[in-house]
């Protein structure tokens, strides 16, 4: 089993001063497979992590079991409050959730109702993620969260609808890039609004020994700016390159059935907005 008396479960498993170490760390906490783990198993992992922190490691526990428990704990519990986060807002849900929403926005871009519907869904998803992963040290009120949500959604919708109408006579590829521009614009509004308390009051700055030195507004501006840029950069490859690929593939005969099928599905959001669903045989 090995001697675990000196094992520190909160110590970095990989060297965080290297790119590869940081990459392994974030792959570990964003692993989509942890989404499938039951709440019962997550709670057991939390108990094991807390037992290890208190120095009461159960007998016959291996180091790998502790690492796995910490992995589940980091993926599902808030780092500040220790509360179990809702599934959709967890970082481990970002890969499947983000991929699905990106696909919908890139496919359903032809009609205004479709653009409105999927941009609204995407911003609602982002708002839930931001709320779930909020900084407990800089609390934000329900009113402030509401304003941030409405502002980001309005920005995304105005950008998407405006560009959608503007690009009607433009090359098709430009219209396919509208969702990315809308997402980028919304991020520029949503993230600073959601983290406005950090901009107003600053964020806590510590030294290498974790001693508090004070609050810094400059550090908050720098950090939030980097978050905005990184969010837009992460969305760019899929939302810019995929439309180029699809523009070429749709010229081939084997893609025509796929294009026809998805264009029919595109009427779904329109029916939502117009109330044209019919019942009966």
């Amino acid at each position: 089993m090995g001697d675990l008396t000196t094992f520190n479960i909160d110590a970095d498993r990989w060297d965080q001063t290297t790119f590869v170490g940081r990459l392994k760390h974030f792959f570990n906490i964003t692993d989509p497979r942890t989404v499938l783990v039951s709440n019962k198993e997550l709670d057991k992992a939390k108990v094991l992590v807390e037992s290890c922190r208190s120095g009461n490691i159960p007998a016959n526990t291996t180091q790998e079991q502790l690492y796995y428990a910490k992995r589940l704990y980091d993926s599902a519990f808030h780092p500040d409050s220790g509360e179990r986060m809702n599934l959709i807002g967890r970082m481990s849900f970002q890969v499947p959730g983000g991929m699905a929403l990106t696909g919908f926005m890139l496919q359903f871009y032809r009609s205004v109702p479709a653009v409105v519907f999927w941009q609204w869904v995407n911003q609602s998803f982002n708002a839930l993620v931001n709320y779930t992963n909020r900084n407990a040290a800089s609390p934000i009120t329900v009113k402030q969260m509401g304003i941030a949500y409405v502002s980001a959604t309005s920005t995304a919708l105005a950008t998407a609808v405006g560009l959608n109408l503007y690009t009607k006579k433009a090359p098709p590829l430009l219209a396919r890039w509208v969702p990315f521009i809308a997402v980028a614009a919304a991020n520029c509004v949503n993230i600073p609004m959601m983290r406005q308390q950090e901009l107003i009051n600053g964020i806590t700055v510590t030294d290498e020994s974790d001693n508090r030195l004070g609050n810094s507004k400059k550090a908050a501006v720098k950090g939030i700016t980097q978050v905005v840029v990184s969010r837009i950069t992460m969305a760019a490859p899929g939302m810019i390159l995929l439309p180029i690929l699809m523009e070429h593939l749709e010229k081939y005969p084997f893609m025509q059935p796929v294009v026809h099928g998805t264009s029919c599905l595109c009427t779904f959001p329109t029916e939502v907005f117009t109330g044209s669903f019919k019942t009966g045989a």
Side-chain angles (χ1 to χ4, degrees), residues 96-111:
M99 286 176 59
L101 282 173
T102 298
F104 284 129
M105 287 188 291
L106 290 177
Q107 179 56 48
F108 302 135
Y109 68 93
R110 294 178 176 86
S111 68

Side-chain angles (χ1 to χ4, degrees), residues 108 111 113-115 117-118 265-274 277:
F108 302 135
S111 68
V115 170
F117 179 77
W118 290 113
L265 286 173
C266 194
T267 59
F268 166 71
T270 306
E271 292 171 342
V272 171
F273 278 86
T274 59
F277 284 120

